[in-house]
Amino acid sequence: MIRKLFSITFLLAAVLVSCSKSDSPKVYPDGNGQAANPVKRPHGNPVGTAVVKTIGPAGGSIQSADGAIGVQVPAGALNAAVSFSIQQVENTLEGSKGKAFRLLPEGAEFLKPVTITYAYGEQEMKGTIPDALYLAYQNQDGYHYLASQTELDEQTNKLTVQTTHFSDWTVAELMMVVADTNQVKPGGAANLRLKWQLGSLLAPLTQDQPIGDLVDYDGYVSKVSWTLSSGKGHIQPDGIGCVYKAPGQVPAENPAVVSVSVPFTQYNNKRKSLAILLTSIYTVPDEYFILREDGMTTINNPFADGESSLRMEVDSFFYVTTSFQSGSDILITIPGGVAGGGSYPYGTGDKLAYVDFSNINSVDDTYISEKQNCETCDIVYSGGHVKITKFAAEIGDYMEGEFTAEVWLLGHYSPPKKNLSGKFRVKRTV
């Protein structure tokens, strides 16, 4: 049966805090006398190639290759020309789902604050909402701090903050719902829990907060309220936790959406006083492909006889292919020579992934994970990656994975694009 699944909507309000550099962790108690326990974490290893640019007293800007983060240097912030660089690094902040970047030179002295801008997207939004997102930096000793003067622009999906120091920067989600799974079999269950990372969201903060472990929410627990907002199944709320139980068969209305509301003290007129977080739980068979296309979610379409359209083929590569209720097909090509899974960027080659996304109703409606902006321009490959979380080494094993990609219309220069992401589980039959 054809099903149209829609994207998750998140509404939350959090709290405004402020920004200053600190070399050693401090503890700030909350309204209940609780405190954040600072956690020292390793610095992430470099990912890919750094972007380097020289900026002088006249000012200028630099941004990462994927456009996720940028730095604006105002005129008069420097006395002399300085070589800046932005290097993506592994994100070591627990709970953070965004990318992390090393901004150099770390010891640069700015006469005026520079502005850091981070463009958040679907990945950062999983389990939380925009008002819970703040920029965070990691000092030389390995402690993360909340950049509490972070400004949020929901119209452009950007976070900005002014700073006078460089270091490793990423996104911190102050509060989120953590689910042990977002896909359950018919009759199965998913466990959801309300978490946060700071020791205080209950009292006004006047300094940057150290970020501790991702721990159970312990604020206004008695006012936490869970609801099954849409879909089939039922829930069993229990304070900051909730169990979702799926129906006995895959329902036409899929996914189910579980919401939790949490009250907050209102600190300023930019923040609301109630947080509402929504989490989607899919009831799926053993094999599935959940696709998100430009914010709209759908699952793979069965054939007329009820057999799944999801297939996996193997030669020197792994090929995962399926069709969707929208009339679209997708083919993901994954390197087959590396056992045990892994994460693969896009390109053409033995260790690179490729995406082909087409509409069966139009031969001219094919999008691929590469583009060429002009006849003499170099080929540009999609950002994102295909991540294999479970490897199908033998026939009968299941391959599990997830991916994010930009895909561009085939046959055009500077073509229009689509943003794709998804998860899949498919049995290897050959």
Side-chain angles (χ1 to χ4, degrees):
M1 180 175 182
I2 293 178
R3 299 179 293 274
K4 182 70 71 176
L5 305 179
F6 294 93
S7 61
I8 305 171
T9 302
F10 297 97
L11 299 171
L12 172 69
V15 11
L16 186 67
V17 283
S18 65
C19 178
S20 62
K21 185 173 182 181
S22 177
D23 293 324
S24 59
K26 298 178 181 179
V27 174
Y28 301 96
D30 70 15
N32 290 338
Q34 302 296 319
N37 294 316
V39 176
K40 187 174 184 177
R41 298 176 174 90
H43 289 274
N45 294 319
V47 176
T49 304
V51 175
V52 180
K53 183 177 181 180
T54 298
I55 299 176
S61 62
I62 180 175
Q63 68 175 9
S64 60
D66 61 0
I69 195 170
V71 178
Q72 182 70 41
V73 181
L78 299 167
N79 282 326
V82 173
S83 178
F84 289 80
S85 71
I86 298 179
Q87 170 70 66
Q88 185 179 348
V89 295
E90 296 169 340
N91 192 350
T92 62
L93 178 58
E94 180 191 11
S96 173
K97 295 175 286 295
K99 296 179 180 179
F101 296 91
R102 183 162 297 147
L103 306 183
L104 296 175
E106 187 167 358
E109 294 185 4
F110 301 109
L111 303 178
K112 296 180 181 179
V114 301
T115 301
I116 298 174
T117 301
Y118 187 103
Y120 65 87
E122 180 181 320
Q123 181 66 25
E124 291 84 357
M125 291 284 294
K126 291 182 179 179
T128 187
I129 42 68
D131 277 307
L133 301 179
Y134 284 79
L135 290 174
Y137 60 88
Q138 186 180 24
N139 67 11
Q140 291 182 338
D141 295 327
Y143 295 99
H144 286 87
Y145 285 82
L146 192 77
S148 49
Q149 286 184 348
T150 301
E151 294 291 334
L152 167 67
D153 187 340
E154 291 191 67
Q155 299 300 315
T156 60
N157 290 356
K158 290 182 179 179
L159 303 167
T160 59
V161 71
Q162 290 190 330
T163 184
T164 56
H165 64 90
F166 275 178
S167 52
D168 291 1
W169 289 78
T170 188
V171 174
E173 298 93 345
L174 299 189
M175 178 174 288
M176 67 193 77
V177 173
V178 176
D180 60 354
T181 181
N182 290 100
Q183 298 96 36
V184 296
K185 295 179 180 180
N191 296 288
L192 291 74
R193 203 158 185 86
L194 188 60
K195 299 273 188 176
W196 64 359
Q197 285 190 299
L198 293 180
S200 175
L201 290 180
L202 302 181
L205 307 174
T206 57
Q207 302 183 57
D208 283 5
Q209 277 268 41
I211 299 176
D213 287 320
L214 186 63
V215 297
D216 287 347
Y217 171 78
D218 62 355
Y220 299 107
V221 174
S222 64
K223 297 183 180 180
V224 172
S225 177
W226 298 87
T227 304
L228 181 60
S229 299
S230 65
K232 302 299 183 181
H234 63 277
I235 60 172
Q236 296 177 345
D238 183 16
I240 62 169
C242 182
V243 177
Y244 166 77
K245 291 196 173 181
Q249 58 185 8
V250 177
E253 189 177 356
N254 210 335
V257 177
V258 179
S259 66
V260 58
S261 63
V262 188
F264 281 88
T265 300
Q266 185 171 334
Y267 299 100
N268 58 69
N269 58 12
K270 294 182 179 181
R271 305 287 176 171
K272 303 180 182 71
S273 58
L274 181 68
I276 302 177
L277 293 81
L278 284 75
T279 302
S280 291
I281 308 294
Y282 295 86
T283 302
V284 294
D286 282 342
E287 295 183 276
Y288 60 84
F289 197 120
I290 302 172
L291 174 71
R292 191 172 176 88
E293 176 190 350
D294 287 336
M296 183 171 291
T297 306
T298 185
I299 63 175
N300 57 291
N301 208 24
F303 289 134
D305 60 3
E307 185 180 0
S308 173
S309 63
L310 186 58
R311 291 286 184 271
M312 176 179 173
E313 299 179 7
V314 181
D315 47 33
S316 58
F317 290 85
F318 286 93
Y319 304 93
V320 176
T321 182
T322 193
S323 62
F324 299 95
Q325 59 199 45
S326 61
S328 296
D329 290 336
I330 195 167
L331 169 65
I332 297 181
T333 304
I334 311 161
V338 182
S343 182
Y344 305 99
Y346 295 103
T348 53
D350 292 341
K351 295 184 178 180
L352 299 173
Y354 202 85
V355 173
D356 187 306
F357 184 68
S358 60
N359 191 309
I360 60 176
N361 299 316
S362 174
V363 295
D364 297 325
D365 191 13
T366 298
Y367 288 75
I368 58 176
S369 53
E370 66 176 57
K371 68 173 179 176
Q372 193 172 11
N373 289 327
C374 67
E375 186 175 359
T376 58
C377 295
D378 292 336
I379 293 176
V380 176
Y381 294 101
S382 172
H385 61 273
V386 179
K387 182 178 181 181
I388 303 303
T389 55
K390 184 177 181 181
F391 187 77
E394 304 289 342
I395 293 175
D397 291 345
Y398 285 92
M399 175 82 87
E400 297 179 9
E402 56 190 43
F403 79 102
T404 58
E406 291 178 323
V407 291
W408 295 279
L409 186 62
L410 180 65
H412 299 264
Y413 295 123
S414 297
K417 71 175 182 178
K418 293 180 179 288
N419 290 301
L420 304 180
S421 62
K423 291 186 177 183
F424 54 85
R425 186 175 192 263
V426 56
K427 181 184 289 187
R428 178 176 176 179
T429 57
V430 293

